[in-house]
Amino acid sequence: MDWWVSLPKVELHAHLNGSIRDSTLLELARELGDRGLVCFPDVECVILKHDRSLTEVFKLFDLIHILTTDHETVTRITKEVIEDFAAENVVYLELRTTPKKNASKGMTKKSYMEAVLEGIRAVNTVEVDIFSEPNFDCPANAGIYARSDGCARNGTAKKKIYVRLLLSIDRRETTEAAMETVKLALEMRHLGVVGIDLSGNPVIGEWLTFLPALEFAKEQGLLITLHCGEVPNQVEIHAMLDFLPARIGHACCFGEEEWAKLKSLKIPVEICLTSNIKTETISSVDIHHFADLYNSGHPIVLCTDDSGVFSTSVSGEYSLASSSFGIQKREMFQLARNAVNFIFAGNKVKLELEQVFDLAAKSLE
Ligand code: 5GP
């Protein structure tokens, strides 16, 4: 097997609806086309186009959401996305998604998330741990525990993936809608929800709109990651860093002052190389801020962002970083392993992941 696939990996920045297989999107589009609800050839062209500006990416998401926002499809894509990450040896996945309402399908934010959980339970190519923290001892977890150790029963040593969920607030949402998402996350903590993400089109919405919900989430012990600095907006970048999120994503449009602040605060950065290059947020990989952050020992983790939309994979991102910045496999292994420190799950999971890396270290040398 390819070394980059064999390498155990931790994925901390993956959007559910951005990680769908093209084949699934095309199948869904064809079905809606047959029912006269979309024009299939037009949709096919959009899905198969590979280089998109950041603005075009958000238009694509609106289209993807038309194809996917019913319970059955949300369950299907969740199952497939987890199986795809597991197939390339992602051992811990923090999957983020924006809970959505769709009145025409009787969908509420809660029922959307229940459909996601159904998708997690449906995974059958790999053993899934979606909840194994001892500090949330709740009867509602009984079924989940069973799912987590189900493969041990017949003695087959199936591969295992830890999956945790982040609920995303879309920058188009109001303060009330953001608060609804945070309350839902709190309600679902015993089901593997570990944090909140702020994402969506970075030129839409104001930081102050989301701040009350994010502060409430933080007070309640949820961990927060913010899409930060995807466009030049120094005021917002400073406000976001002052909020002290547990991680940020991207950090593309930082100036000297913002770098200094980020580095002194040691906030881990989720780096999405292919996404940044394809959306032209960064003009070429050789000038990507990965190099400076890596060389200065700043906490970073390589991620895909939207493996479907940007036709990439976690293995591909590790291979790209290695070839672009001349980093040897031994150091890349260490980079993958360091990501364990930045996961939102607790110490028990961290210790178990350390063991996974210890084992892999022997076989990958
Ligand atoms: P979903 O939350 O629907 O599962 O995943 C797609 C959503 O994630 C998009 O509608 C958008 O809100 C967010 N998203 C995906 N990729 C990006 C990105 O590169 N930047 C930002 N800011 N948001 C993104």
Side-chain angles (χ1 to χ4, degrees):
M1 199 199 289
D2 176 46
W3 193 89
W4 301 107
V5 176
S6 309
L7 174 69
K9 291 165 294 286
V10 166
E11 167 62 273
L12 301 183
H13 188 134
H15 298 269
L16 173 61
N17 277 279
S19 308
I20 306 168
R21 300 170 188 165
D22 275 357
S23 59
T24 296
L25 281 180
L26 290 171
E27 192 187 315
L28 295 169
R30 202 171 284 117
E31 275 169 26
L32 289 196
D34 290 348
R35 288 159 52 200
L37 298 174
V38 297
C39 171
F40 178 71
D42 290 356
V43 175
E44 185 184 32
C45 267
V46 176
I47 292 171
L48 296 178
K49 184 171 185 245
H50 280 296
D51 289 320
R52 303 178 178 93
S53 68
L54 202 56
T55 309
E56 285 175 322
V57 163
F58 290 105
K59 284 194 192 137
L60 174 63
F61 280 124
D62 287 341
L63 172 63
I64 291 177
H65 291 146
I66 292 171
L67 302 178
T68 60
T69 309
D70 64 77
H71 296 109
E72 200 185 312
T73 309
V74 169
T75 295
R76 173 186 175 173
I77 61 173
T78 304
K79 172 183 187 289
E80 289 181 357
V81 165
I82 293 171
E83 290 185 348
D84 290 349
F85 277 115
E88 55 150 352
N89 224 2
V90 168
V91 290
Y92 175 94
L93 166 66
E94 251 166 50
L95 189 60
R96 56 185 77 188
T97 194
T98 321
K100 296 170 193 74
K101 292 181 180 176
N102 184 353
S104 67
K105 304 278 177 187
M107 179 183 276
T108 61
K109 285 189 174 187
K110 185 169 182 179
S111 72
Y112 175 95
M113 286 311 301
E114 280 163 354
V116 168
L117 291 172
E118 199 53 43
I120 297 176
R121 290 188 200 100
V123 169
N124 55 28
T125 59
V126 60
E127 180 184 350
V128 182
D129 176 306
I130 63 169
F131 186 84
S132 61
E133 303 292 336
N135 49 335
F136 288 103
D137 197 11
C138 168
N141 298 327
I144 313 292
Y145 276 116
R147 177 77 195 97
S148 158
D149 64 15
C151 303
R153 279 192 304 265
N154 59 12
T156 52
K158 237 187 192 178
K159 254 181 18 180
K160 176 167 169 175
I161 184 169
Y162 294 83
V163 178
R164 294 297 183 271
L165 298 169
L166 305 180
L167 303 200
S168 300
I169 294 169
D170 187 316
R171 294 182 62 113
R172 287 179 289 200
E173 291 186 291
T174 61
T175 305
E176 292 69 35
M179 195 62 95
E180 190 189 347
T181 296
V182 170
K183 288 185 178 156
L184 180 60
L186 291 169
E187 223 181 283
M188 301 186 88
R189 280 179 104 172
H190 65 286
L191 296 170
V193 174
V194 288
I196 296 287
D197 156 57
L198 175 67
S199 53
N201 194 335
V203 298
I204 293 177
E206 297 292 330
W207 169 245
L208 288 181
T209 306
F210 318 113
L211 187 57
L214 294 168
E215 274 174 341
F216 177 64
K218 204 183 202 189
E219 277 160 27
Q220 296 295 314
L222 286 168
L223 293 166
I224 318 282
T225 177
L226 304 172
H227 281 63
C228 178
E230 282 177 288
V231 290
N233 181 345
Q234 310 321 108
V235 173
E236 183 177 274
I237 295 171
H238 279 281
M240 284 184 167
L241 295 178
D242 289 339
F243 175 76
L244 299 179
R247 298 195 307 254
I248 60 165
H250 297 296
C252 296
C253 301
F254 276 37
E256 255 175 60
E257 255 183 64
E258 292 77 39
W259 287 128
K261 190 165 184 166
L262 174 82
K263 286 179 183 175
S264 73
L265 293 171
K266 297 192 169 54
I267 298 170
V269 183
E270 303 150 0
I271 298 272
C272 309
L273 294 172
T274 300
S275 160
N276 297 161
I277 302 306
K278 288 209 170 168
T279 56
E280 293 175 355
T281 316
I282 300 287
S283 57
S284 71
V285 74
D286 47 299
I287 58 150
H288 197 282
H289 46 286
F290 170 92
D292 175 56
L293 293 177
Y294 180 78
N295 291 329
S296 57
H298 189 83
I300 48 174
V301 50
L302 284 174
C303 304
T304 51
D305 200 9
D306 299 295
S307 54
V309 167
F310 300 121
S311 310
T312 186
S313 63
V314 198
S315 312
E317 295 299 305
Y318 274 82
S319 166
L320 176 65
S322 169
S323 59
S324 305
F325 305 107
I327 307 173
Q328 300 305 305
K329 285 181 174 165
R330 183 181 289 266
E331 282 71 43
M332 291 305 293
F333 182 91
Q334 199 50 48
L335 184 67
R337 183 178 194 137
N338 285 349
V340 173
N341 297 316
F342 320 129
I343 69 172
F344 286 175
N347 285 337
K348 178 176 181 284
V349 177
K350 284 185 181 160
L351 285 173
E352 288 173 13
L353 289 172
E354 285 297 340
Q355 288 168 8
V356 170
F357 278 94
D358 281 345
L359 251 166
K362 289 179 194 138
S363 60
L364 284 172
E365 271 176 20

